[in-house]
Amino acid sequence: MKKRIGIIGNERSTYDEKDQHTYYFSYTPRDFIQGFLRANSLPVILPVGIVEDAVAYIEQIDVLVLAGGQDIDPKYFHQARHPLLGEVFEARDEFELALIKEAVKQGKSIVGVCRGMQVLNVAFGGTLYQDTSLTDYTLKHVQSPISLEHPTHDVTIKETSLLRQFLPETYKVNSYHHQFVDQVANHFTVTAHTTDGAIEAIESTYYGNTIIGVQWHPEQSCHTHPLDQEFFKYIVENL
Ligand SMILES: [Mn+2]
């Protein structure tokens, strides 16, 4: 039976001039779907839903994937909103935190990408820098206008990490984030960092399940970079 990968959805709206109507969509980047399909799994999108249904959602999946998106509300790490905080999505924060809690209870692995890694860190008690300006990091972590298909900065990956089972010690990744992990959650290990000191990956097996977070976007580069496709293969075959 194929492994069921539950990817948390996001929402967006488009105003259609011709129809004079705003359409609202629940979605996840298609690249996640394609990466997981190529890895011979069964990806499903979990739309932002009702917190009380977290148990039922997690029962239906084998691995929970937290995708990129808005900034998490800093109230979850006991900070006031900084003026440079980006857009937040309260219902998504609440739903994701409920899914994470339930995934731990049911022993299901969790993978977080970009915002997803940051939400994981916050869910387990860590904190974030709300904006790059609050750090002394010097690399360009928002690489636009360079396409995310093209990795732009190196990360050094810890030898004993799960990531090192399919990635080399020095690896180039794409970068599209203005927030960073600050204090790492208890029982988590930093498994990748940049030369400027930014945390780019975290892992934990302390809670009985496997939890991996990466700050980069393997789903945006997996079509052209085989090692980024390995990320999906590893999740499907090992988590
Ligand atoms: Mn980065």
Side-chain angles (χ1 to χ4, degrees), residues 24 55 67 136 179 206:
Y24 294 88
V55 178
D136 51 13
Q179 296 200 315
Y206 174 84

Side-chain angles (χ1 to χ4, degrees), residues 69 71 114-115 117-118 129-132 137 139-144 148 153 155 173-181 194 196 198-200 214-217:
D71 292 348
C114 197
R115 162 198 164 88
M117 173 179 103
Q118 297 172 357
Y129 291 114
Q130 291 186 47
D131 186 68
T132 315
Y137 303 146
L139 289 171
K140 205 165 179 228
H141 288 279
V142 177
Q143 70 174 56
S144 58
L148 290 174
H153 72 55
V155 292
V173 300
N174 56 23
S175 199
Y176 194 72
H177 57 109
H178 80 112
Q179 296 200 315
F180 297 82
V181 166
T194 46
D196 62 355
I199 292 171
E200 291 268 344
V214 297
Q215 186 58 71
W216 61 93
H217 285 274

Side-chain angles (χ1 to χ4, degrees), residues 24-39:
Y24 294 88
F25 302 94
S26 294
Y27 75 99
T28 199
R30 189 181 67 172
D31 314 273
F32 278 112
I33 306 298
Q34 291 174 329
F36 281 117
L37 285 177
R38 277 197 296 262

Side-chain angles (χ1 to χ4, degrees), residues 5 20 32 81 102 111 146 153 168 217:
I5 312 292
Q20 302 266 305
F32 278 112
R81 291 187 182 193
E102 189 55 35
V111 175
I146 300 171
H153 72 55
H217 285 274

Side-chain angles (χ1 to χ4, degrees), residues 95-227:
F95 188 58
E96 288 189 343
L97 290 169
L99 289 176
I100 291 167
K101 209 169 161 186
E102 189 55 35
V104 170
K105 264 191 202 161
Q106 295 187 28
K108 307 277 173 82
S109 299
I110 313 174
V111 175
V113 167
C114 197
R115 162 198 164 88
M117 173 179 103
Q118 297 172 357
V119 171
L120 280 171
N121 188 54
V122 170
F124 292 94
T127 68
L128 305 179
Y129 291 114
Q130 291 186 47
D131 186 68
T132 315
S133 60
L134 299 168
T135 74
D136 51 13
Y137 303 146
T138 49
L139 289 171
K140 205 165 179 228
H141 288 279
V142 177
Q143 70 174 56
S144 58
I146 300 171
S147 161
L148 290 174
E149 285 170 5
H150 304 297
T152 53
H153 72 55
D154 280 339
V155 292
T156 304
I157 300 172
K158 195 176 174 189
E159 190 175 353
T160 53
S161 65
L162 299 174
L163 289 177
R164 273 300 292 283
Q165 294 184 16
F166 60 96
L167 293 178
E169 183 176 11
T170 303
Y171 188 61
K172 210 174 264 303
V173 300
N174 56 23
S175 199
Y176 194 72
H177 57 109
H178 80 112
Q179 296 200 315
F180 297 82
V181 166
D182 179 4
Q183 288 168 318
V184 182
N186 283 341
H187 310 302
F188 274 75
T189 307
V190 174
T191 50
H193 63 270
T194 46
T195 51
D196 62 355
I199 292 171
E200 291 268 344
I202 57 174
E203 289 177 12
S204 177
T205 51
Y206 174 84
Y207 296 95
N209 60 344
T210 299
I211 305 173
I212 300 175
V214 297
Q215 186 58 71
W216 61 93
H217 285 274
E219 84 283 6
Q220 297 299 330
S221 45
C222 66
H223 310 298
T224 44
H225 291 75
L227 278 182

